[in-house]
Amino acid sequence: MNIMLLGAPGAGKGTQAAKLVDAYGFAHISTGDILRKAVANQTPLGLAAKKYIDAGELVPDMVVIGLVKARLQEPDAEKGFILDGFPRTVIQADALGRALQELHKKLDAVISIDVDKGVLIKRLTGRRMCAQCGAIFNVVSQPETGNGVCPACGGSLMQRDDDTVTTVTNRLDVYERSTAPLIAYYRDKGVLRRVDGNRPAESVFSDVRAIVEG
Ligand code: AP5
């Protein structure tokens, strides 16, 4: 099954993707993760992407389209994939449609995770990620992570550079302007499903699971 998770920054795309990977073993294709890894490794892609990520702006379409096209052709995508953070513009969505056609693949569901703006800001500024295993936590809803140690693997919990209030505010504006129109885009294609993402992650996941298994 091939799924896209659509939603604002902090909606819980990465959190739900991790649960889907655990439950079904789908390949997780996160453009944010690919770009952050490139930044950490100081590759040419990372050096080019860093200024956009730090400012909360989108990396140019042609860069991310090329990355995703290549990633979709890796062997693990055969067993089903989850797109997380891609597409983010209509140009990217059109390019994805063409790429999937060329690869004889299709999207089974586009799941929009809907969360109120005030909740998003709190979630993003409280987010911590494990530098070692990549697990996602929140110091507000999971106070036990306030000691900076990953409960899953014992690694160090870090705050993402783009989770400051100023950058988060810009990311939410960019989302409204460039990405929110994709909700109507995929509704018109008949593949859109919506879930209320304001609830605890496990409740959101039971709706996501119902879509996957429905
Ligand atoms: P990216 O990494 O894709 O970030 P994003 O879309 O802004 O989304 P986030 O990762 O911030 O949030 P999420 O929805 O995954 O939430 P999470 O599960 O972590 O992109 C980063 C940057 O890379 C972009 O700004 C851009 O520069 C660039 N980029 C990436 N893709 C691109 C593209 N296609 N084109 C151009 N540029 C691109 O959860 C957030 C927090 O909330 C966590 O603390 C979590 O524990 C908590 N939480 C999650 N769910 C719940 C819940 N149900 N209840 C309570 N807390 C919850």
Side-chain angles (χ1 to χ4, degrees), residues 6 30 66 96 98 209:
L6 201 56
S30 157
L96 174 67
R98 288 191 296 273
R209 192 189 265 277

Side-chain angles (χ1 to χ4, degrees), residues 7-16 30-33 35-36 52-53 56-61 64 84-88 92 123-124 126-128 136-138 141-142 160 162-163 171 197-201 204:
K13 302 181 296 296
T15 300
Q16 296 301 319
S30 157
T31 40
D33 286 349
L35 292 167
R36 277 186 292 280
Y52 297 101
I53 297 173
E57 295 293 331
L58 296 181
V59 173
D61 286 329
V64 282
D84 162 5
F86 181 92
R88 270 179 140 93
Q92 292 181 20
R123 283 192 191 170
L124 288 167
R127 172 168 52 192
R128 299 292 181 274
I136 305 167
F137 301 99
N138 196 287
S141 57
Q142 297 163 299
R160 268 171 48 176
D162 60 347
D163 278 348
R171 284 164 61 201
N198 291 294
R199 298 163 303 147
V204 179

Side-chain angles (χ1 to χ4, degrees), residues 138-209:
N138 196 287
V139 288
V140 179
S141 57
Q142 297 163 299
E144 69 277 16
T145 61
N147 62 358
V149 178
C150 174
C153 76
S156 301
L157 296 181
M158 317 290 288
Q159 184 167 29
R160 268 171 48 176
D161 290 343
D162 60 347
D163 278 348
T164 59
V165 175
T166 314
T167 311
V168 161
T169 306
N170 192 40
R171 284 164 61 201
L172 293 173
D173 288 347
V174 169
Y175 170 80
E176 284 304 328
R177 219 168 38 239
S178 304
T179 310
L182 295 181
I183 294 174
Y185 180 101
Y186 286 109
R187 187 196 300 125
D188 293 348
K189 291 192 183 298
V191 285
L192 186 78
R193 306 294 299 271
R194 301 189 84 148
V195 300
D196 176 3
N198 291 294
R199 298 163 303 147
E202 280 308 326
S203 310
V204 179
F205 187 59
S206 72
D207 286 7
V208 169
R209 192 189 265 277

Side-chain angles (χ1 to χ4, degrees), residues 51-86:
K51 66 171 187 282
Y52 297 101
I53 297 173
D54 286 351
E57 295 293 331
L58 296 181
V59 173
D61 286 329
M62 289 310 139
V63 175
V64 282
I65 289 168
L67 287 177
V68 173
K69 268 187 173 172
R71 182 66 186 84
L72 284 170
Q73 293 175 67
E74 287 181 24
D76 66 337
E78 285 302 320
K79 63 192 174 198
F81 58 78
I82 308 155
L83 285 171
D84 162 5
F86 181 92

